[in-house]
Amino acid sequence: MNSLERVTLALQHKEPDHVPVYPLINSVSRKTMGINYQEWSEDPEKCAESIIRATKEIGVDVICTLVDLSVEAADWGQKIEWIGDTAAHPLMDDRLIKTVEDYNKIEPIDPAKTRRMGDAIRLTQILADREGKEYPIVAFIFGPLGILSMMRGQEQMFMDMIRSPKALHPALRAITDTLKLFIKASVEAGAHAIMFDTLYASRTILSPKMWQNFEGEYIEELSNYVRECGAMVMLHNCGDGIYFKEQIERMDPVLLSYCHLPPDCATDEELKEKYGDRVTLCGMIDPGFVYASDEETLRAECRRQIDAYKKDGGFILATGCEYPASLDFTKAKIMVEEACTYGKY
């Protein structure tokens, strides 16, 4: 059974040969090529080769195109920078949207004609052409509200949401229209699924009502469009107190990648009972835990989560967010080993 078959069964809530496994090994994969973060994220050929090499060396079951959270915003003109060997991020003191009036300046663009989204489409195509028959290819797209925050700054955007709530919607509309083109191009390039990152849909950031008011309708529209294009909808949110209920109702994803329990579940077992038949659960080993743990502790946590989530399929053992880029592959391989042995059906 190859990884595509294994994950497909998990998504159908059936039991494959063993629990699928996916430490989110995106940026750490650059170590297979000996290149830095900027080179890895700006060269689709090298990025694809790195991800493929790491996927095969570690033995993970999913290929995802996550590079960084500045990809989309940069193509509207937001200035970004790399400091040291870290992910790109917006220039904090030079945001594209400097005033409330500037939201109206955000207009739809064609991702295929831009630098970073264009590179992401190319990355998807390379990965799909080379490995799409063996692995699920998941194209990663930041949600509309997250993209807007990259251009405005989180703190200022949150203030605008309270003081001038109507001002944000023209920009969110333009971003949504652009993301439809991004989705279409990514699916045509070979993506089996689109994974949205709804960064702010958790109780530590926005209330459910506020998230619904600002991103809910747009992410629902985008999710429906993914299905119209013939691909699956997946969701990533590593926030504390992620809103499972509200997002499942809006997006109807086949898979939900998470790091923390939702507000309406006190235990892993309760989460499995409440949502395990509605969505494939992908998580939830905290990257910080991975970084700090020794081998024995990590193995014990993998087994604890496999015990909680394994039954009847619908589970992928994974880190709740990106695997620590400063580590080597040792702990990712431990997770794979536990999924293949202790997680055997």
Side-chain angles (χ1 to χ4, degrees), residues 267-278:
T267 65
D268 299 313
E269 291 75 14
E270 185 178 0
L271 174 58
K272 176 71 172 181
E273 175 68 23
K274 194 163 191 174
Y275 294 105
D277 62 345
R278 299 179 64 184

Side-chain angles (χ1 to χ4, degrees), residues 320-341:
C321 197
E322 191 172 4
Y323 182 85
S326 59
L327 294 181
D328 60 19
F329 296 162
T330 301
K331 291 183 176 179
K333 290 179 179 179
I334 289 172
M335 291 180 63
V336 170
E337 183 179 331
E338 289 300 322
C340 294
T341 55

Side-chain angles (χ1 to χ4, degrees), residues 104-294:
N104 288 312
K105 297 180 180 179
I106 304 302
E107 297 181 349
I109 56 177
D110 184 352
K113 296 178 181 179
T114 65
R115 171 67 187 278
R116 300 209 73 205
M117 284 188 281
D119 282 351
I121 295 165
R122 175 61 181 153
L123 173 62
T124 299
Q125 183 174 29
I126 297 169
L127 293 169
D129 288 348
R130 291 182 56 181
E131 302 296 339
K133 293 182 179 180
E134 297 291 323
Y135 297 90
I137 308 299
V138 180
F140 188 94
I141 294 179
F142 207 6
L145 198 59
I147 295 171
L148 194 60
S149 74
M150 295 291 106
M151 296 188 278
R152 178 57 166 156
Q154 294 178 359
E155 182 178 354
Q156 192 58 58
M157 186 186 76
F158 293 153
M159 293 302 297
D160 295 339
M161 292 166 74
I162 297 170
R163 295 172 176 172
S164 306
K166 293 182 180 179
L168 281 70
H169 286 279
L172 290 168
R173 178 74 263 161
I175 291 170
T176 299
D177 291 344
T178 298
L179 292 184
K180 284 186 173 182
L181 298 177
F182 195 13
I183 289 164
K184 186 173 188 294
S186 298
V187 175
E188 289 176 347
H192 298 106
I194 302 295
M195 178 175 281
F196 293 111
D197 184 344
T198 55
L199 179 63
Y200 300 122
S202 66
R203 66 182 173 187
T204 52
I205 305 179
L206 296 179
S207 69
K209 181 179 180 180
M210 185 168 281
W211 176 75
Q212 293 272 24
N213 288 342
F214 286 95
E215 188 166 59
E217 66 179 281
Y218 301 109
I219 204 70
E220 180 176 349
E221 181 180 335
L222 289 168
S223 298
N224 289 335
Y225 187 71
V226 170
R227 286 183 281 269
E228 289 177 20
C229 290
M232 296 176 288
V233 176
M234 296 182 177
L235 165 63
H236 172 79
N237 187 307
C238 53
D240 190 2
I242 168 181
Y243 301 135
F244 266 62
K245 177 178 179 291
E246 291 81 2
Q247 293 189 93
I248 290 173
E249 289 175 352
R250 280 288 190 180
M251 302 173 66
D252 192 22
V254 299
L255 177 145
L256 205 160
S257 165
Y258 63 104
C259 193
H260 303 283
L261 294 171
D264 56 347
C265 295
T267 65
D268 299 313
E269 291 75 14
E270 185 178 0
L271 174 58
K272 176 71 172 181
E273 175 68 23
K274 194 163 191 174
Y275 294 105
D277 62 345
R278 299 179 64 184
V279 64
T280 292
L281 302 168
C282 181
M284 54 176 279
I285 298 181
D286 192 311
F289 176 87
V290 173
Y291 184 87
S293 65
D294 57 24

Side-chain angles (χ1 to χ4, degrees), residues 13 15 19 272 276 305-315 345:
H13 299 267
E15 297 183 351
V19 168
K272 176 71 172 181
Q305 293 195 19
I306 289 170
D307 286 341
Y309 293 112
K310 171 186 175 184
K311 187 176 183 295
D312 299 324
F315 174 57
Y345 285 102

